[in-house]
Amino acid sequence: MFTPVAGLIMGVIFGASLVLTGLTNPDKIIGALRLKDFYAIRTVAVFLLVGMLGTLILDLFGAANFSIKPAVILTALIGGALLGTGLGLTGFGPATGLASAASGRLDALVTVIGMIFGAHVYILIYPSVVIPLERILNFGSVTLPQITGASSALWVVPIFAAGSLALFITRSREQQYDEQRMRAGDLGMNEVFPFPLSPKPILREKGLYLKSDCLNAAYVFRQWKNLLFVVMLLCLLLIQGSFWLVSTGQVDIAENSNTEAPAVPGADSIQADLAAAPAKESPSRWLFGFDVTFERLTSIVRIANIILVLTSVLYALIMYFGLGISFKGGLGGLAHICGALYMALIIFVLLLPWQNFFGSITMGATYTPGELARWCTTDIGDTLGMVLFYLRFTGYWALVMLLLLLAQLRSFRWARAIVR
Amino acid sequence: MDELPILDKFLRKSRKGRLTAESRVLRYKCEEELIMTELNSRTPPLPWWAAGMLLGLVQVLAIALVKPMGVSKQFVVADAKVIERVAPEYSENHPLLSDEQYKKFGYGWWFNIGIVLGACLAALHLRAWKVRTVSLWWKRNHDAPVLLRLIAGFCGGVLLLLGARLAHGCITGQFISGWTQLSLSAIPFTITLLGFGMLVAYLVYPKAPNRLRREE
């Protein structure tokens, strides 16, 4: 239990610091490789020096967990060459590729997909190519201090001193440049004027000032809107995915919920949920590192439902505020944002679990796990029942999904209209 | 950068079809301004020494807690999982896939998921979350940017992971972690990594963007 949590936390810290330090930007990497932009080089140099010194200190206290890779000179050479080619071509490394895909770069996303293919190629060639190669020039897992017989301090301290000295000597120009930019106010997280061509705001003319202010606000709203959209999309996919997992029999439905379920769909779903919760654990299958049981699916669906309803409220509210801002600031794009607001409201209405309030008269697009269990376990004989079943779980969902995409498209047009 | 066509329209209309010398100067200035803005908006928020120290401390923390960082192995693990599901016999007999460490999602897997999460959160926090397809250097050097960039990205991705696994680690796992632990394998890896990286970057990106060119 400790390991996944530690991994997740370390990953979050590392990913965040990759973005914070700007190494996720391929321009920085390419600039470094072309020796035009020294930011990345200096950053990585400090990274290495601090890492070395810190590891040495940890080692002195006996707290370092080493994991030394086998030194196979030939494969390291070939691998370095291939990796260098990929790095020079794209400007991403594996870690920075992941991180910049997460910060919205589509080319990085494609690179990540390419990396998955690369892993597959590696698996395919492993028995025939890699194993023979690894026998050549294999020195095993050794470190430089072990080979030379000198203590690691003898290695680290001179390297650290020389590196720091070199960085310090070549610092002057870079630092001046940094300070200039700092004075100009664009190094920190200060405001970057969002639309480069528009004139700087003139303080005397209130209208322009208001307009640029409203533009900034609209940018913030747009960002949050996009985030909420992604969250909603994920939740919808989760819900639909768990429906398919259950209905195709990948996950066994716990038996308690089967027997105690009332006959009328949607009549007493809370009781059915309670019955489903303490169900015994059925034999499990893995999916992305989880053992998927119906019990777990139940909790996932519940959480996704809660998040969905809440985010749909926020989504509609953000559309409303966007409408207000673009009205107040005279930014234009009112028709688009009105359409988007309307659709967001419809989504919200469709998503609410009406079946819990009104019994079987109406239904919402979200379903409770108990309901799913009931629908799946009752025998559906005729075609009509089958059609109803899929309409209720997939058709309804597809409608909401369609509306969500349309709303996002409309609001995207709104954002573009604003920029114009 | 996307605003330039709009500017072009405006210039042409006012100058009757052709750009005069004056408007060409204006266009150049605007382009320069745009590139400056784009570069600045992508300027990392930390100076280099603080950035390096932050990353170094993360690495030290990782070594103190579990083990040095590494990214690329988990791609193989994910792939191995799929293969195990699709073709169990193949993965049973495969010398790599039958290894125990490729059969479960552990620390490294969650580490990668954490990278994605953390990067997303940080980009949102910096207001830098923006859908982009091309980089400045790429735009400067290639005429048909987007499709070519995606194709190059894919090929680069295949090479990246193949190379990383051949060398037993990617840039994080072999270059950074290798040097912080002073392992022998980092030396040949570094030599070819930087050599080929600079060579390919020189071939693919011969021209530098404007502001950098001016500084030469």
Side-chain angles (χ1 to χ4, degrees), chain A residues 164-202:
Chain A
S164 316
L165 193 66
L167 284 173
F168 187 76
I169 290 171
T170 52
R171 148 207 65 121
S172 55
R173 223 185 75 196
E174 297 286 320
Q175 194 134 357
Q176 277 169 10
Y177 181 55
D178 278 353
E179 274 165 9
Q180 268 173 17
R181 282 189 309 177
M182 194 106 72
R183 236 175 282 129
D186 55 24
L187 189 68
M189 275 165 276
N190 296 328
E191 163 194 326
V192 175
F193 201 62
F195 179 38
L197 257 192
S198 67
K200 295 274 176 200
I202 304 165

mmCIF file of all heavy atoms in Angstrom, chain A residues 164-202:
data_model
loop_
_atom_site.group_PDB
_atom_site.id
_atom_site.type_symbol
_atom_site.label_atom_id
_atom_site.label_comp_id
_atom_site.label_asym_id
_atom_site.label_seq_id
_atom_site.Cartn_x
_atom_site.Cartn_y
_atom_site.Cartn_z
ATOM 1 N N SER A 164 30.225 23.493 -10.219
ATOM 2 C CA SER A 164 29.726 24.752 -9.655
ATOM 3 C C SER A 164 30.582 25.913 -10.116
ATOM 4 O O SER A 164 30.063 26.987 -10.459
ATOM 5 C CB SER A 164 29.740 24.705 -8.130
ATOM 6 O OG SER A 164 29.248 23.489 -7.698
ATOM 7 N N LEU A 165 31.882 25.681 -10.141
ATOM 8 C CA LEU A 165 32.792 26.755 -10.564
ATOM 9 C C LEU A 165 32.491 27.158 -12.010
ATOM 10 O O LEU A 165 32.375 28.342 -12.334
ATOM 11 C CB LEU A 165 34.238 26.285 -10.434
ATOM 12 C CG LEU A 165 35.282 27.405 -10.538
ATOM 13 C CD1 LEU A 165 35.160 28.342 -9.359
ATOM 14 C CD2 LEU A 165 36.676 26.824 -10.633
ATOM 15 N N ALA A 166 32.339 26.134 -12.864
ATOM 16 C CA ALA A 166 32.069 26.430 -14.277
ATOM 17 C C ALA A 166 30.768 27.198 -14.421
ATOM 18 O O ALA A 166 30.684 28.194 -15.146
ATOM 19 C CB ALA A 166 32.002 25.130 -15.073
ATOM 20 N N LEU A 167 29.743 26.751 -13.696
ATOM 21 C CA LEU A 167 28.456 27.446 -13.776
ATOM 22 C C LEU A 167 28.589 28.864 -13.265
ATOM 23 O O LEU A 167 27.999 29.800 -13.801
ATOM 24 C CB LEU A 167 27.407 26.692 -12.961
ATOM 25 C CG LEU A 167 26.869 25.425 -13.604
ATOM 26 C CD1 LEU A 167 25.969 24.692 -12.643
ATOM 27 C CD2 LEU A 167 26.106 25.767 -14.860
ATOM 28 N N PHE A 168 29.405 29.023 -12.202
ATOM 29 C CA PHE A 168 29.545 30.350 -11.608
ATOM 30 C C PHE A 168 30.266 31.294 -12.556
ATOM 31 O O PHE A 168 29.895 32.462 -12.700
ATOM 32 C CB PHE A 168 30.314 30.224 -10.290
ATOM 33 C CG PHE A 168 30.361 31.501 -9.526
ATOM 34 C CD1 PHE A 168 29.236 31.928 -8.829
ATOM 35 C CD2 PHE A 168 31.491 32.282 -9.512
ATOM 36 C CE1 PHE A 168 29.250 33.114 -8.137
ATOM 37 C CE2 PHE A 168 31.518 33.462 -8.813
ATOM 38 C CZ PHE A 168 30.396 33.878 -8.122
ATOM 39 N N ILE A 169 31.308 30.774 -13.229
ATOM 40 C CA ILE A 169 32.080 31.646 -14.119
ATOM 41 C C ILE A 169 31.247 32.073 -15.319
ATOM 42 O O ILE A 169 31.260 33.238 -15.706
ATOM 43 C CB ILE A 169 33.362 30.913 -14.591
ATOM 44 C CG1 ILE A 169 34.313 30.790 -13.408
ATOM 45 C CG2 ILE A 169 34.030 31.665 -15.723
ATOM 46 C CD1 ILE A 169 35.484 29.903 -13.700
ATOM 47 N N THR A 170 30.512 31.132 -15.895
ATOM 48 C CA THR A 170 29.733 31.480 -17.081
ATOM 49 C C THR A 170 28.404 32.121 -16.742
ATOM 50 O O THR A 170 27.590 32.367 -17.616
ATOM 51 C CB THR A 170 29.440 30.215 -17.910
ATOM 52 O OG1 THR A 170 28.870 29.255 -17.028
ATOM 53 C CG2 THR A 170 30.688 29.665 -18.540
ATOM 54 N N ARG A 171 28.216 32.427 -15.471
ATOM 55 C CA ARG A 171 26.914 32.889 -15.023
ATOM 56 C C ARG A 171 26.568 34.265 -15.533
ATOM 57 O O ARG A 171 25.440 34.551 -15.890
ATOM 58 C CB ARG A 171 26.887 32.862 -13.495
ATOM 59 C CG ARG A 171 26.049 33.903 -12.799
ATOM 60 C CD ARG A 171 26.615 34.165 -11.448
ATOM 61 N NE ARG A 171 27.939 34.748 -11.577
ATOM 62 C CZ ARG A 171 28.261 35.931 -11.081
ATOM 63 N NH1 ARG A 171 27.379 36.610 -10.405
ATOM 64 N NH2 ARG A 171 29.468 36.431 -11.228
ATOM 65 N N SER A 172 27.588 35.159 -15.644
ATOM 66 C CA SER A 172 27.319 36.596 -15.677
ATOM 67 C C SER A 172 26.290 36.973 -16.739
ATOM 68 O O SER A 172 25.294 37.640 -16.431
ATOM 69 C CB SER A 172 28.609 37.341 -15.928
ATOM 70 O OG SER A 172 29.203 36.842 -17.109
ATOM 71 N N ARG A 173 26.506 36.549 -17.985
ATOM 72 C CA ARG A 173 25.621 37.019 -19.040
ATOM 73 C C ARG A 173 24.195 36.525 -18.815
ATOM 74 O O ARG A 173 23.229 37.282 -18.915
ATOM 75 C CB ARG A 173 26.130 36.522 -20.385
ATOM 76 C CG ARG A 173 26.079 37.582 -21.437
ATOM 77 C CD ARG A 173 26.488 36.999 -22.761
ATOM 78 N NE ARG A 173 25.429 36.178 -23.320
ATOM 79 C CZ ARG A 173 25.613 35.314 -24.300
ATOM 80 N NH1 ARG A 173 26.821 35.136 -24.805
ATOM 81 N NH2 ARG A 173 24.619 34.615 -24.786
ATOM 82 N N GLU A 174 24.114 35.265 -18.472
ATOM 83 C CA GLU A 174 22.792 34.685 -18.245
ATOM 84 C C GLU A 174 22.050 35.445 -17.150
ATOM 85 O O GLU A 174 20.895 35.789 -17.278
ATOM 86 C CB GLU A 174 22.937 33.224 -17.829
ATOM 87 C CG GLU A 174 23.558 32.342 -18.864
ATOM 88 C CD GLU A 174 22.594 32.054 -19.981
ATOM 89 O OE1 GLU A 174 21.425 31.849 -19.681
ATOM 90 O OE2 GLU A 174 23.035 32.048 -21.142
ATOM 91 N N GLN A 175 22.814 35.697 -16.091
ATOM 92 C CA GLN A 175 22.164 36.320 -14.945
ATOM 93 C C GLN A 175 21.681 37.732 -15.271
ATOM 94 O O GLN A 175 20.573 38.112 -14.900
ATOM 95 C CB GLN A 175 23.139 36.373 -13.775
ATOM 96 C CG GLN A 175 22.440 36.681 -12.478
ATOM 97 C CD GLN A 175 22.907 35.744 -11.381
ATOM 98 O OE1 GLN A 175 23.694 34.849 -11.640
ATOM 99 N NE2 GLN A 175 22.436 35.929 -10.185
ATOM 100 N N GLN A 176 22.538 38.467 -16.007
ATOM 101 C CA GLN A 176 22.107 39.802 -16.400
ATOM 102 C C GLN A 176 20.817 39.727 -17.199
ATOM 103 O O GLN A 176 19.877 40.487 -16.980
ATOM 104 C CB GLN A 176 23.184 40.459 -17.259
ATOM 105 C CG GLN A 176 24.292 41.090 -16.449
ATOM 106 C CD GLN A 176 25.438 41.485 -17.340
ATOM 107 O OE1 GLN A 176 25.316 41.454 -18.553
ATOM 108 N NE2 GLN A 176 26.537 41.857 -16.727
ATOM 109 N N TYR A 177 20.822 38.766 -18.093
ATOM 110 C CA TYR A 177 19.652 38.603 -18.946
ATOM 111 C C TYR A 177 18.418 38.311 -18.100
ATOM 112 O O TYR A 177 17.363 38.920 -18.269
ATOM 113 C CB TYR A 177 19.938 37.459 -19.910
ATOM 114 C CG TYR A 177 18.852 37.170 -20.875
ATOM 115 C CD1 TYR A 177 18.365 38.182 -21.695
ATOM 116 C CD2 TYR A 177 18.316 35.909 -20.973
ATOM 117 C CE1 TYR A 177 17.370 37.921 -22.581
ATOM 118 C CE2 TYR A 177 17.320 35.644 -21.865
ATOM 119 C CZ TYR A 177 16.838 36.642 -22.669
ATOM 120 O OH TYR A 177 15.842 36.375 -23.536
ATOM 121 N N ASP A 178 18.599 37.392 -17.130
ATOM 122 C CA ASP A 178 17.492 37.081 -16.240
ATOM 123 C C ASP A 178 17.003 38.306 -15.509
ATOM 124 O O ASP A 178 15.812 38.544 -15.378
ATOM 125 C CB ASP A 178 17.925 36.021 -15.221
ATOM 126 C CG ASP A 178 17.850 34.628 -15.806
ATOM 127 O OD1 ASP A 178 17.345 34.527 -16.928
ATOM 128 O OD2 ASP A 178 18.306 33.692 -15.158
ATOM 129 N N GLU A 179 17.986 39.091 -15.021
ATOM 130 C CA GLU A 179 17.582 40.246 -14.235
ATOM 131 C C GLU A 179 16.838 41.272 -15.082
ATOM 132 O O GLU A 179 15.872 41.882 -14.622
ATOM 133 C CB GLU A 179 18.811 40.891 -13.588
ATOM 134 C CG GLU A 179 19.154 40.222 -12.270
ATOM 135 C CD GLU A 179 20.532 40.584 -11.795
ATOM 136 O OE1 GLU A 179 21.136 41.484 -12.409
ATOM 137 O OE2 GLU A 179 20.997 39.962 -10.838
ATOM 138 N N GLN A 180 17.303 41.405 -16.313
ATOM 139 C CA GLN A 180 16.591 42.310 -17.212
ATOM 140 C C GLN A 180 15.141 41.892 -17.359
ATOM 141 O O GLN A 180 14.226 42.706 -17.238
ATOM 142 C CB GLN A 180 17.238 42.283 -18.594
ATOM 143 C CG GLN A 180 18.312 43.331 -18.784
ATOM 144 C CD GLN A 180 19.015 43.135 -20.101
ATOM 145 O OE1 GLN A 180 18.498 42.440 -20.970
ATOM 146 N NE2 GLN A 180 20.180 43.730 -20.242
ATOM 147 N N ARG A 181 14.981 40.609 -17.587
ATOM 148 C CA ARG A 181 13.614 40.149 -17.800
ATOM 149 C C ARG A 181 12.801 40.276 -16.526
ATOM 150 O O ARG A 181 11.613 40.568 -16.547
ATOM 151 C CB ARG A 181 13.618 38.701 -18.262
ATOM 152 C CG ARG A 181 13.979 38.587 -19.717
ATOM 153 C CD ARG A 181 13.752 37.196 -20.169
ATOM 154 N NE ARG A 181 14.414 36.259 -19.273
ATOM 155 C CZ ARG A 181 14.339 34.970 -19.396
ATOM 156 N NH1 ARG A 181 13.653 34.454 -20.362
ATOM 157 N NH2 ARG A 181 14.959 34.170 -18.568
ATOM 158 N N MET A 182 13.485 40.040 -15.392
ATOM 159 C CA MET A 182 12.789 40.156 -14.120
ATOM 160 C C MET A 182 12.285 41.580 -13.956
ATOM 161 O O MET A 182 11.168 41.823 -13.541
ATOM 162 C CB MET A 182 13.745 39.801 -12.994
ATOM 163 C CG MET A 182 13.086 39.564 -11.670
ATOM 164 S SD MET A 182 13.057 37.842 -11.278
ATOM 165 C CE MET A 182 14.757 37.511 -10.915
ATOM 166 N N ARG A 183 13.143 42.540 -14.335
ATOM 167 C CA ARG A 183 12.740 43.927 -14.223
ATOM 168 C C ARG A 183 11.583 44.222 -15.179
ATOM 169 O O ARG A 183 10.690 44.980 -14.875
ATOM 170 C CB ARG A 183 13.929 44.848 -14.513
ATOM 171 C CG ARG A 183 14.184 45.809 -13.370
ATOM 172 C CD ARG A 183 15.426 46.611 -13.621
ATOM 173 N NE ARG A 183 16.630 45.839 -13.329
ATOM 174 C CZ ARG A 183 17.641 45.719 -14.192
ATOM 175 N NH1 ARG A 183 17.590 46.292 -15.371
ATOM 176 N NH2 ARG A 183 18.696 45.031 -13.858
ATOM 177 N N ALA A 184 11.673 43.612 -16.347
ATOM 178 C CA ALA A 184 10.591 43.833 -17.307
ATOM 179 C C ALA A 184 9.303 43.163 -16.847
ATOM 180 O O ALA A 184 8.240 43.435 -17.368
ATOM 181 C CB ALA A 184 10.979 43.305 -18.673
ATOM 182 N N GLY A 185 9.424 42.313 -15.832
ATOM 183 C CA GLY A 185 8.216 41.781 -15.219
ATOM 184 C C GLY A 185 7.629 40.587 -15.927
ATOM 185 O O GLY A 185 6.444 40.334 -15.821
ATOM 186 N N ASP A 186 8.450 39.860 -16.712
ATOM 187 C CA ASP A 186 7.832 38.710 -17.339
ATOM 188 C C ASP A 186 8.520 37.408 -16.979
ATOM 189 O O ASP A 186 8.367 36.421 -17.644
ATOM 190 C CB ASP A 186 7.799 38.871 -18.852
ATOM 191 C CG ASP A 186 9.161 39.145 -19.421
ATOM 192 O OD1 ASP A 186 10.157 38.769 -18.773
ATOM 193 O OD2 ASP A 186 9.246 39.748 -20.470
ATOM 194 N N LEU A 187 9.298 37.416 -15.929
ATOM 195 C CA LEU A 187 9.937 36.160 -15.558
ATOM 196 C C LEU A 187 9.071 35.386 -14.578
ATOM 197 O O LEU A 187 8.968 34.183 -14.635
ATOM 198 C CB LEU A 187 11.296 36.431 -14.941
ATOM 199 C CG LEU A 187 12.117 35.193 -14.725
ATOM 200 C CD1 LEU A 187 12.523 34.612 -16.049
ATOM 201 C CD2 LEU A 187 13.344 35.493 -13.918
ATOM 202 N N GLY A 188 8.436 36.126 -13.704
ATOM 203 C CA GLY A 188 7.674 35.460 -12.657
ATOM 204 C C GLY A 188 6.315 35.050 -13.164
ATOM 205 O O GLY A 188 6.070 34.977 -14.364
ATOM 206 N N MET A 189 5.427 34.792 -12.259
ATOM 207 C CA MET A 189 4.095 34.389 -12.678
ATOM 208 C C MET A 189 3.228 35.616 -12.886
ATOM 209 O O MET A 189 2.026 35.588 -12.686
ATOM 210 C CB MET A 189 3.496 33.466 -11.639
ATOM 211 C CG MET A 189 3.910 32.041 -11.859
ATOM 212 S SD MET A 189 3.597 31.031 -10.454
ATOM 213 C CE MET A 189 5.026 31.308 -9.471
ATOM 214 N N ASN A 190 3.887 36.719 -13.278
ATOM 215 C CA ASN A 190 3.121 37.928 -13.518
ATOM 216 C C ASN A 190 2.253 37.758 -14.735
ATOM 217 O O ASN A 190 2.419 36.852 -15.514
ATOM 218 C CB ASN A 190 4.073 39.105 -13.738
ATOM 219 C CG ASN A 190 4.863 39.389 -12.512
ATOM 220 O OD1 ASN A 190 4.369 39.178 -11.420
ATOM 221 N ND2 ASN A 190 6.095 39.814 -12.673
ATOM 222 N N GLU A 191 1.380 38.688 -14.881
ATOM 223 C CA GLU A 191 0.425 38.588 -15.971
ATOM 224 C C GLU A 191 1.138 38.726 -17.314
ATOM 225 O O GLU A 191 1.957 39.602 -17.518
ATOM 226 C CB GLU A 191 -0.592 39.711 -15.794
ATOM 227 C CG GLU A 191 -1.390 39.985 -17.025
ATOM 228 C CD GLU A 191 -2.114 41.289 -16.878
ATOM 229 O OE1 GLU A 191 -2.498 41.591 -15.755
ATOM 230 O OE2 GLU A 191 -2.276 41.998 -17.867
ATOM 231 N N VAL A 192 0.826 37.805 -18.203
ATOM 232 C CA VAL A 192 1.296 37.935 -19.572
ATOM 233 C C VAL A 192 0.113 38.426 -20.367
ATOM 234 O O VAL A 192 -0.950 37.823 -20.324
ATOM 235 C CB VAL A 192 1.763 36.578 -20.119
ATOM 236 C CG1 VAL A 192 2.132 36.710 -21.577
ATOM 237 C CG2 VAL A 192 2.925 36.087 -19.319
ATOM 238 N N PHE A 193 0.292 39.509 -21.060
ATOM 239 C CA PHE A 193 -0.849 40.076 -21.754
ATOM 240 C C PHE A 193 -1.344 39.088 -22.781
ATOM 241 O O PHE A 193 -0.604 38.648 -23.654
ATOM 242 C CB PHE A 193 -0.435 41.380 -22.425
ATOM 243 C CG PHE A 193 -1.606 42.245 -22.720
ATOM 244 C CD1 PHE A 193 -2.397 42.718 -21.691
ATOM 245 C CD2 PHE A 193 -1.937 42.553 -24.013
ATOM 246 C CE1 PHE A 193 -3.485 43.492 -21.958
ATOM 247 C CE2 PHE A 193 -3.024 43.331 -24.281
ATOM 248 C CZ PHE A 193 -3.802 43.811 -23.253
ATOM 249 N N PRO A 194 -2.594 38.665 -22.699
ATOM 250 C CA PRO A 194 -3.001 37.464 -23.417
ATOM 251 C C PRO A 194 -3.042 37.611 -24.924
ATOM 252 O O PRO A 194 -2.749 36.684 -25.632
ATOM 253 C CB PRO A 194 -4.389 37.185 -22.862
ATOM 254 C CG PRO A 194 -4.847 38.478 -22.341
ATOM 255 C CD PRO A 194 -3.660 39.210 -21.886
ATOM 256 N N PHE A 195 -3.400 38.766 -25.423
ATOM 257 C CA PHE A 195 -3.532 38.877 -26.863
ATOM 258 C C PHE A 195 -2.471 39.834 -27.370
ATOM 259 O O PHE A 195 -2.549 41.041 -27.148
ATOM 260 C CB PHE A 195 -4.937 39.362 -27.198
ATOM 261 C CG PHE A 195 -5.156 39.527 -28.665
ATOM 262 C CD1 PHE A 195 -4.620 38.629 -29.562
ATOM 263 C CD2 PHE A 195 -5.880 40.581 -29.146
ATOM 264 C CE1 PHE A 195 -4.820 38.783 -30.904
ATOM 265 C CE2 PHE A 195 -6.078 40.725 -30.486
ATOM 266 C CZ PHE A 195 -5.542 39.838 -31.370
ATOM 267 N N PRO A 196 -1.456 39.314 -28.019
ATOM 268 C CA PRO A 196 -0.274 40.118 -28.305
ATOM 269 C C PRO A 196 -0.530 41.294 -29.231
ATOM 270 O O PRO A 196 0.115 42.323 -29.089
ATOM 271 C CB PRO A 196 0.665 39.125 -28.999
ATOM 272 C CG PRO A 196 0.076 37.818 -28.819
ATOM 273 C CD PRO A 196 -1.342 37.961 -28.491
ATOM 274 N N LEU A 197 -1.473 41.173 -30.162
ATOM 275 C CA LEU A 197 -1.621 42.244 -31.140
ATOM 276 C C LEU A 197 -2.414 43.420 -30.616
ATOM 277 O O LEU A 197 -2.321 44.518 -31.137
ATOM 278 C CB LEU A 197 -2.316 41.704 -32.387
ATOM 279 C CG LEU A 197 -1.411 41.439 -33.575
ATOM 280 C CD1 LEU A 197 -2.238 41.205 -34.792
ATOM 281 C CD2 LEU A 197 -0.473 42.599 -33.799
ATOM 282 N N SER A 198 -3.224 43.177 -29.609
ATOM 283 C CA SER A 198 -4.073 44.266 -29.148
ATOM 284 C C SER A 198 -3.209 45.301 -28.452
ATOM 285 O O SER A 198 -2.189 44.973 -27.854
ATOM 286 C CB SER A 198 -5.112 43.737 -28.184
ATOM 287 O OG SER A 198 -4.472 43.309 -27.026
ATOM 288 N N PRO A 199 -3.582 46.555 -28.553
ATOM 289 C CA PRO A 199 -2.757 47.600 -27.952
ATOM 290 C C PRO A 199 -2.724 47.457 -26.451
ATOM 291 O O PRO A 199 -3.639 46.900 -25.841
ATOM 292 C CB PRO A 199 -3.478 48.880 -28.366
ATOM 293 C CG PRO A 199 -4.862 48.464 -28.651
ATOM 294 C CD PRO A 199 -4.795 47.078 -29.163
ATOM 295 N N LYS A 200 -1.630 47.921 -25.867
ATOM 296 C CA LYS A 200 -1.563 47.912 -24.410
ATOM 297 C C LYS A 200 -2.703 48.773 -23.877
ATOM 298 O O LYS A 200 -3.069 49.771 -24.497
ATOM 299 C CB LYS A 200 -0.233 48.525 -23.945
ATOM 300 C CG LYS A 200 0.961 47.714 -24.360
ATOM 301 C CD LYS A 200 1.245 46.638 -23.359
ATOM 302 C CE LYS A 200 2.384 45.828 -23.885
ATOM 303 N NZ LYS A 200 2.606 44.554 -23.405
ATOM 304 N N PRO A 201 -3.256 48.397 -22.742
ATOM 305 C CA PRO A 201 -4.402 49.149 -22.250
ATOM 306 C C PRO A 201 -4.035 50.598 -21.941
ATOM 307 O O PRO A 201 -3.010 50.868 -21.322
ATOM 308 C CB PRO A 201 -4.797 48.396 -20.983
ATOM 309 C CG PRO A 201 -3.633 47.569 -20.647
ATOM 310 C CD PRO A 201 -2.955 47.252 -21.917
ATOM 311 N N ILE A 202 -4.842 51.500 -22.422
ATOM 312 C CA ILE A 202 -4.594 52.915 -22.137
ATOM 313 C C ILE A 202 -5.438 53.285 -20.935
ATOM 314 O O ILE A 202 -6.655 53.091 -20.913
ATOM 315 C CB ILE A 202 -4.998 53.770 -23.350
ATOM 316 C CG1 ILE A 202 -4.235 53.271 -24.572
ATOM 317 C CG2 ILE A 202 -4.710 55.227 -23.086
ATOM 318 C CD1 ILE A 202 -4.807 53.770 -25.855
#
